[in-house]
Amino acid sequence: MQMKRIMWLSLLMVMLGGVGVPTGAQAATWHHGTPKHLRGMYQSTTPIGKHSAAGFAPVIEVKAKTFSLSISNNPLQLVKHLKYQHVHGHYQFKGTLQHIGFVLGGKVTFGLKKKGHSLYFVQNRHNNFAMPDRFKLTTHVKG
């Protein structure tokens, strides 16, 4: 009788043992919009002659719900319906690129990292929207 009780109790403990134990591995949460400390206007620090359309250096503008990239003589690249998550020291974004001119619309993913007053695109295999430039925070665009 005592042996049966011990077996049932040990079986019950084995079955219920995994229920209350937290795993510790949680997926990063996706948030709507953009983080406040990334918002602002940034201009590329790459010399203008390095770009094929050499009217002015590329400009990024990060607003509360949109991200835009403008390059001289090209249509604005506007990303709406943004969501972001903080992963491995940078922000990973996903959103919808608007169809403007010859810029085809569709789903895009990109990563941004901010160091001081500079903003960098994070290059990896999941990102399909990026530039190799360093962008410096500015209050106006220098032409």
Side-chain angles (χ1 to χ4, degrees):
M1 184 72 145
Q2 187 73 0
M3 189 62 150
K4 275 188 177 180
R5 184 179 287 171
I6 291 173
M7 286 179 55
W8 278 107
L9 193 57
S10 63
L11 180 63
L12 182 64
M13 288 177 66
V14 168
M15 289 175 58
L16 294 178
V19 175
V21 178
T23 60
Q26 293 181 342
T29 304
W30 286 94
H31 306 280
H32 290 279
T34 61
K36 286 184 181 180
H37 75 279
L38 289 184
R39 295 178 192 167
M41 185 178 292
Y42 300 85
Q43 187 170 22
S44 173
T45 58
T46 304
I48 294 174
K50 300 278 184 182
H51 297 283
S52 59
F56 62 87
V59 175
I60 290 176
E61 190 167 8
V62 182
K63 294 185 177 178
K65 296 183 180 182
T66 61
F67 171 88
S68 64
L69 172 64
S70 60
I71 303 172
S72 180
N73 300 329
N74 288 324
L76 179 71
Q77 297 178 38
L78 180 65
V79 182
K80 291 184 173 181
H81 309 293
L82 282 171
K83 291 183 180 180
Y84 74 92
Q85 66 180 356
H86 190 261
V87 232
H88 304 295
H90 74 276
Y91 291 94
Q92 191 67 29
F93 289 89
K94 62 183 178 180
T96 305
L97 181 65
Q98 301 298 299
H99 173 77
I100 301 173
F102 61 80
V103 174
L104 298 177
K107 301 289 182 190
V108 293
T109 57
F110 58 97
L112 293 176
K113 184 172 187 161
K114 186 171 183 181
K115 286 185 181 179
H117 294 290
S118 297
L119 193 66
Y120 300 87
F121 278 98
V122 176
Q123 306 280 344
N124 68 32
R125 64 185 176 97
H126 300 291
N127 297 337
N128 57 10
F129 188 71
M131 287 188 71
D133 297 10
R134 176 178 82 124
F135 292 85
K136 189 87 172 159
L137 184 64
T138 183
T139 56
H140 63 284
V141 176
K142 300 173 190 170

